[in-house]
Structure formats: C-alpha cells, structure tokens
C-alpha cells in the first residue's frame, strides 16, 4: 500500500478501534485477567448504603424462612475471593450452634463479616474486629443478632434472680449480660428471657453507635448503619428491634 493510502486511512482509526486492536494484540500474546484480578478490579459489592445492605440481608432471611435460598453453589467465586473481601454487613452473633448467619441471611462466603460470642455482646476484642470490618473492609452495616431461648441470657437471669454461681470464666461473660437482665426486670415483662434478649440487642446497638473513635465517626458521616434483630429458632425468621 502506498504512503498516500496509509495517510488517508489513519484518520478513520477511532480511539475505540485502537483500543480494540491493542486488546486483540494482548490476547494474541496470551495475556488475560485471572478471575481474582477481575474480582479485585470490579466495583466492590459493599459500595452501597447501610440501609440497602440491611434490605439485602433481610430479603435473604425471607428466602431462608421460605426455604428458597439462592446460595447453593459455595464453590462459585472461591478462587476470586482469595484476592480480596468486600462484606456487605458485619454481624454480632451468638455462638449458639443453631444460629448460622450465612444461612439465616442466605448469603455467600465473603458477604458477611461475623463476630461471635455467647450472648452476642460486644467486648473490646469484638469492637476491634468490627472496627476492622467497617473501616478497612468497608462493611456499611453492623447488625447485632440475638436469638430466642438463648442459654447465656437464661443463665444471666438465674445469676441475677437466684444468685447462681458459675465456674471458670463464665461469670465474666454473664457480667456483660446483667445490664440487659436488669433493664428487662424494670419493664416487668411477662417473658423475662425474651425481654432481656431484646434489651441486650438494643444496649449493644447503642454501644456500637457511640463507640469512639471509629464507629461513632462513621455513623455520623452516614457511612455506617447499626441495627439489631432477634432470630427465632423455631421459624428462622429475624425480626428487627
């Protein structure tokens, strides 16, 4: 082809055409993004509001209750998750073996950052974990999740009402639940266990909202929502409180 023809053809090469040509050359040379690289470069799934995250996990709970879960293939995305994690919510859950947050909210591995302790309360170690999950992993939501028939709450009530003495380090754990029991007793609730469970959730929600310096600042900046709920062991339904 003559130089004049080449000169005349050059203006017709658009930027898109040049990019496509470059991509074709890269693929021809054997270059391709790995699944992990593509995952890392994609917009993070937790780049959403806390309210949107709450709706997403509560919609998941509705599917769980109806026994119509979406999450069935747990191998999907496993390789991609080795590159990074973008949880949409941090969950403060009881250690009870009957409560499984990923199942209860119908979420995949990588979707929830879960902190578990018997009685679902927040101590300094749990708080540090939640600070990491929100500040550095970007979770826009923290949900404190209590559950019905909680053994830790029942034990705390017996300690308060009957002076029950527990062995080992259990008194430290029960001590963290006493404020909820005392708050429930002031309500003269007919079901003290249920009332103390809800009170415990609410007290820990308030503590997290005010926890300085990280969580309280993110709440004030509308970067974080803190909510609470109670899981019904019999039905699987989670009710926000």
């Amino acid at each position: 082809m003559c130089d004049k023809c080449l000169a005349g053809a050059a203006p017709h090469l658009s930027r898109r055409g040049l990019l496509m040509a470059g991509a074709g050359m890269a693929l021809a040379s054997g270059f391709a993004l790995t699944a992990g690289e593509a995952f890392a470069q994609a917009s993070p799934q937790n780049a959403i509001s806390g309210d949107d995250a709450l709706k997403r996990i509560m919609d998941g709970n509705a599917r769980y209750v109806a026994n119509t879960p979406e999450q069935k293939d747990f191998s999907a995305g496993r390789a991609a998750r080795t590159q990074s994690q973008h949880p949409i919510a941090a969950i403060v859950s009881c250690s009870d073996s009957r409560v499984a947050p990923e199942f209860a909210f119908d979420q995949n591995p990588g979707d929830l950052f879960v902190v578990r302790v018997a009685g679902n309360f927040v101590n300094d170690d749990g708080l540090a974990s939640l600070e990491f999950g929100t500040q550095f992993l970007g979770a826009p939501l923290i949900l404190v999740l209590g559950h019905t028939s909680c053994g830790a709450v029942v034990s705390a009530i017996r300690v308060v009402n009957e002076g029950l003495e527990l062995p080992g380090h259990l008194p430290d754990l029960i001590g963290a639940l006493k404020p909820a029991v005392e708050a429930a007793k002031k309500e003269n609730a007919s079901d003290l266990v249920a009332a103390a469970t809800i009170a415990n959730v609410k007290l820990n929600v308030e503590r997290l909202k005010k926890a300085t310096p990280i969580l309280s600042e993110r709440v004030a900046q509308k970067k974080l929502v803190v909510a609470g709920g109670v899981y019904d062991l019999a039905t699987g339904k989670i009710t926000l409180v």
Side-chain angles (χ1 to χ4, degrees):
M1 186 179 291
C2 65
D3 292 342
K4 183 176 180 180
C5 293
L6 287 171
H12 298 286
L13 289 175
S14 66
R15 183 182 181 192
R16 181 182 179 187
L18 289 171
L19 289 172
M20 292 294 289
M25 292 176 65
L27 289 171
S29 64
F31 172 81
L33 284 177
T34 66
E37 288 170 331
F39 181 82
Q41 291 183 5
S43 177
Q45 66 166 350
N46 59 4
I48 56 177
S49 71
D51 289 335
D52 286 342
L54 182 59
K55 182 180 185 305
R56 176 169 160 180
I57 65 173
M58 292 305 293
D59 286 347
N61 178 245
R63 294 192 300 271
Y64 173 73
V65 172
N67 200 29
T68 56
E70 289 181 350
Q71 310 305 337
K72 298 176 181 178
D73 184 1
F74 293 105
S75 66
R78 184 177 292 157
R81 287 191 293 270
T82 65
Q83 304 298 314
S84 59
Q85 59 173 317
H86 308 288
I88 62 169
I91 309 294
V92 180
S93 173
C94 183
S95 298
D96 194 295
S97 61
R98 299 165 292 179
V99 181
E102 285 82 1
F103 288 134
F105 290 111
D106 190 29
Q107 300 299 311
N108 258 325
D111 292 342
L112 302 180
F113 184 83
V114 182
V115 176
R116 303 190 69 165
V117 63
N120 49 271
F121 62 89
V122 180
N123 58 16
D124 288 345
D125 292 333
L127 178 57
S129 295
L130 295 168
E131 289 174 337
F132 178 78
T134 55
Q135 178 78 10
F136 296 101
L137 299 182
L141 169 69
I142 296 176
L143 182 78
V144 181
L145 183 63
H147 69 91
T148 57
S149 304
C150 180
V153 172
V154 171
S155 296
I157 290 173
R158 292 193 60 191
V159 167
V160 171
N161 286 349
E162 305 170 21
L164 177 69
E165 295 185 4
L166 298 174
H169 294 84
L170 288 172
D172 294 334
L173 185 149
I174 295 303
L177 301 177
K178 280 185 178 181
V181 175
E182 292 165 353
K185 285 173 67 70
K186 290 179 181 178
E187 298 175 5
N188 294 318
S190 57
D191 188 336
L192 188 55
V193 174
T197 297
I198 293 173
N200 183 48
V201 169
K202 290 182 176 180
L203 286 171
N204 281 280
V205 166
E206 290 306 309
R207 180 188 177 188
L208 290 171
K209 286 180 178 180
K210 298 174 183 177
T212 57
I214 294 176
L215 299 188
S216 60
E217 182 176 343
R218 293 184 72 80
V219 169
Q221 294 174 346
K222 309 296 184 183
K223 294 180 179 179
L224 176 66
V225 169
V226 184
V230 175
Y231 175 87
D232 190 308
L233 290 178
T235 65
K237 181 177 174 59
I238 293 168
T239 302
L240 298 178
V241 299

